[in-house]
Amino acid sequence: MKDAMLRIAGLVNHARALSFSELATIDARHQILDVSRIAPGKRGDAVKLAGVLELVQPKPEAKYLSLHATADNFHASIPLDVVKDKAILIYREGGQPLTAKAGGPVRFFIPDHHACHTDEIDECANVKFVDTIELTAEKGFDNRPHDEQEHAELHAKEQR
Ligand SMILES: Nc1nc2c(c(=O)[nH]1)N[C@H]1C(S)=C(S)[C@@H](COP(=O)(O)O)O[C@H]1N2
Ligand SMILES: [Mo]
């Protein structure tokens, strides 16, 4: 698919590659217009992770959600249970695909995340440039920073 933005793979019944327009046509009850209402400082529109999961149907043995950003080789793998009903995927701003500057084309976001490296579900897990979401039975590859120094180095690299 030419304009596929987001691939969902792993332990799902219906693996899919979703385009911008397919994300936009996910049922209205899963769409969030103006994420600033629930994510202060963030802009654009999102679809609930639950809406995407409804399409692909995770298998019962899927316990972890791995977020892959090939663009800058950043990956996080988090327990599915904790985020399946609250995480959102920001994919649109001003009617257009979310720009890379804003973390697009797809940015994973947990509205009530913990501070960086204080919890398995932390701000660092709000992965930008997500191209693949993979469902697995065990925790997958995760290269989030472990401590303040690694964190500072990552952010310094992001500025460049
Ligand atoms: N692809 C990608 N996503 C990423 C990162 C990154 O380096 N690459 N950094 C993470 C970290 S450590 C944090 S704290 C947040 C920062 O989000 P912000 O740039 O919107 O403030 O993005 C997370 N998502
Ligand atoms: Mo972070």
Side-chain angles (χ1 to χ4, degrees):
M1 197 184 310
K2 202 168 129 256
D3 66 341
M5 312 173 54
L6 181 66
R7 205 167 64 90
I8 327 288
L11 296 173
V12 294
N13 286 325
H14 308 289
R16 293 281 298 267
L18 297 170
S19 64
F20 174 72
S21 49
E22 285 169 321
L23 288 171
T25 50
I26 288 176
D27 197 274
R29 74 184 195 282
H30 294 302
Q31 301 285 339
I32 299 168
L33 299 179
D34 186 6
V35 295
S36 71
R37 294 181 295 126
I38 56 163
K42 298 288 178 261
R43 293 195 308 211
D45 306 323
V47 61
K48 293 179 186 170
L49 174 66
V52 171
L53 294 177
E54 197 175 282
L55 286 179
V56 299
Q57 293 179 20
K59 295 184 196 276
E61 51 289 16
K63 299 291 179 227
Y64 280 85
L65 182 89
S66 295
L67 302 154
H68 299 292
T70 310
D72 67 344
N73 188 30
F74 188 83
H75 310 264
S77 187
I78 56 184
L80 179 59
D81 248 15
V82 193
V83 293
K84 67 177 189 337
D85 296 320
K86 62 181 178 187
I88 62 172
L89 299 160
I90 309 173
Y91 71 96
R92 184 172 62 199
E93 193 182 340
Q96 300 297 314
L98 194 70
T99 61
K101 197 159 172 272
V106 173
R107 178 181 201 160
F108 184 81
F109 195 83
I110 306 147
D112 60 345
H113 55 261
H114 289 72
C116 294
H117 51 82
T118 61
D119 189 271
E120 219 171 354
I121 313 295
D122 65 1
E123 187 180 359
C124 312
N126 288 334
V127 181
K128 300 179 262 198
F129 335 121
V130 177
D131 52 87
T132 304
I133 294 180
E134 186 187 4
L135 284 94
T136 53
E138 307 290 336
K139 186 175 163 83
F141 183 57
D142 191 321
N143 62 359
R144 278 178 288 170
H146 293 290
D147 55 39
E148 271 314 322
Q149 191 190 334
E150 273 183 39
H151 200 252
E153 282 166 11
L154 176 67
H155 283 289
K157 200 169 85 186
E158 272 192 306
Q159 309 292 306
R160 287 206 292 264

